Every structure is written in structure tokens, then in C-alpha cells.
Amino acid sequence: MSELPTVAAFDVDGTITTRDCVVPFMRRIAGARLIVPRLGSRPDRLLPVLVRRDRDTLKALAAAAAFRGRRYDDLSAAGTTFAEMVHERWLRSDTLESLQRHRERGDRTVLVSASFEVYLRPLASLLGVDDVLGTRLDVSDGMATGALHGPNCRGPEKVTRLHEWLGDRSTVRVVAYGDSAGDRELLADADEAHWVTRDGTAA
């Protein structure tokens, strides 16, 4: 029996990059002077989220504050510029070496991340990655509505999105890389899991 083909699934923030990308991108688009007042304008919604430490809902509220009413073409252009900056300044050499090894072996590669696809897709192109499964923005008539299109791609949602993308999970061998609590389900589902630490990658 031949060996199953390998798919290498990489988280982004803290795994491929040295830091979080979500907040810097939102600040680049809207600036803290706009985001903070918009978030604070609905304390009845914000305070319970903060008390529960509900990261998914907080991200949805912040995305609404940053992106609502903006032309998606403008966000895409900003995403491309942001991806170029990330590629130039914020990449981890150790994880990039792992990514390159997978590419050289002919493995399919995919980013599975809670970061926004609007900048992950141009970043994937720069990295030579085959596809992106990230958090998507809802768009209507060319404008960002401020809502997320589907759930935040974090935790169990990473596994759901990856399985949908694969079609038949049993036909491939999955190697996953992650660094945070939001990656635990992805790593648990993988045939080979790598927990990425500040000092390197531990299998």
C-alpha cells in the first residue's frame, strides 16, 4: 500500500510570524481612535463579552468597528501591503524552514488561521502556500458589512474548515503546526503535530 499524500497545515500568528497580526491590521485600517470609541459605544454588548473572556465575540465586535462601511477593494489593497510588510519583517525562520521542506517534498500546504483572509491570501502567495483557511469578512455590494462571514477560524472551527477543504480526511496524512490554545483541536486532529515554541518547534 502506497504512503498517503501529506498536507501540512500551518497556523499563522505566533507560528509562522513572530507576533499577532490581527490587531495591527485593524489599527492600520481604522486606528485606535476610531475602533475604541465604536467599541465603547455599546457597553451593554462589550462588558459581558469582556467578563466572559469571549475572544470570538470580541473579535467580531472589533471587526465591525474597524471594517464596517469600507470598500472591500480598499481593504484588499491594504491587505496586500500589510502582507508584504509581514513577509519582510515578522516571519519566523525556523517555521519557514519546515514550510520549505514540505514544499520541496511536494506536500500540499495550507494556512489555517484566525487571521483575516484579506491579508493571508497575499501572504500565502509570497510564501508559496497552496491555499488559505482564515477568518473571512462579510461583503455586500462591494462594501464590508462589518460582520464576519462564518465563524472565527479558531479552535474547533479550524478542524471543521480543514476537513471541508480536504473533502475526505482519510485520504491524506495531516501534519499540523501551531502555538496557542486556539490550535489545540487542529493539533489533536493531525497525524503528526508540532507545537511551536518561542525557542523552536517541538514535535
Side-chain angles (χ1 to χ4, degrees):
M1 183 178 177
S2 60
E3 184 178 343
L4 292 176
T6 295
V7 170
F10 289 83
D11 168 57
V12 176
D13 293 9
T15 299
I16 284 182
T17 67
T18 58
R19 55 171 297 172
D20 167 73
C21 297
V22 172
V23 173
F25 181 69
M26 289 193 293
R27 285 177 176 167
R28 175 169 290 213
I29 294 298
R33 291 184 179 180
L34 177 61
I35 296 173
V36 172
R38 282 189 173 182
L39 282 173
S41 67
R42 289 294 304 274
D44 57 319
R45 295 186 64 188
L46 180 61
L47 291 178
V49 170
L50 294 175
V51 170
R52 296 194 309 267
R53 297 184 180 181
D54 183 347
R55 294 180 60 172
D56 292 338
T57 303
L58 180 60
K59 183 174 182 177
L61 293 174
F67 304 132
R68 184 175 61 243
R70 298 184 183 275
R71 294 178 64 247
Y72 191 73
D73 286 349
D74 293 339
L75 294 178
S76 294
T80 298
T81 301
F82 184 74
E84 292 168 352
M85 185 275 293
V86 172
H87 187 262
E88 180 180 346
R89 302 179 187 177
W90 292 355
L91 297 184
R92 292 182 56 141
S93 60
D94 52 351
T95 315
L96 285 183
E97 290 174 1
S98 298
L99 174 61
Q100 184 60 28
R101 284 196 296 271
H102 284 290
R103 294 183 62 218
E104 290 172 352
R105 289 198 292 258
D107 299 337
R108 294 167 72 194
T109 54
V110 58
L111 304 182
V112 188
S113 172
S115 267
F116 295 112
E117 284 194 3
V118 69
Y119 57 80
L120 285 186
R121 290 202 172 275
L123 178 61
S125 296
L126 292 169
L127 294 172
V129 170
D130 295 312
D131 211 345
V132 169
L133 306 174
T135 300
R136 297 166 293 193
L137 301 178
D138 186 65
V139 180
S140 178
D141 295 327
M143 305 292 287
T145 66
L148 301 183
H149 182 73
N152 186 26
C153 191
R154 180 181 183 273
E157 181 64 15
K158 289 194 172 190
V159 177
T160 299
R161 292 282 300 279
L162 181 61
H163 284 207
E164 289 175 351
W165 182 76
L166 291 171
D168 187 350
R169 169 68 174 84
S170 67
T171 62
V172 297
R173 174 176 175 270
V174 173
V175 181
Y177 297 79
D179 76 301
S180 72
D183 303 316
R184 286 174 180 164
E185 289 84 356
L186 178 67
L187 295 173
D189 182 70
D191 300 291
E192 179 182 319
H194 296 263
W195 184 265
V196 178
T197 67
R198 290 184 179 181
D199 299 325
T201 302

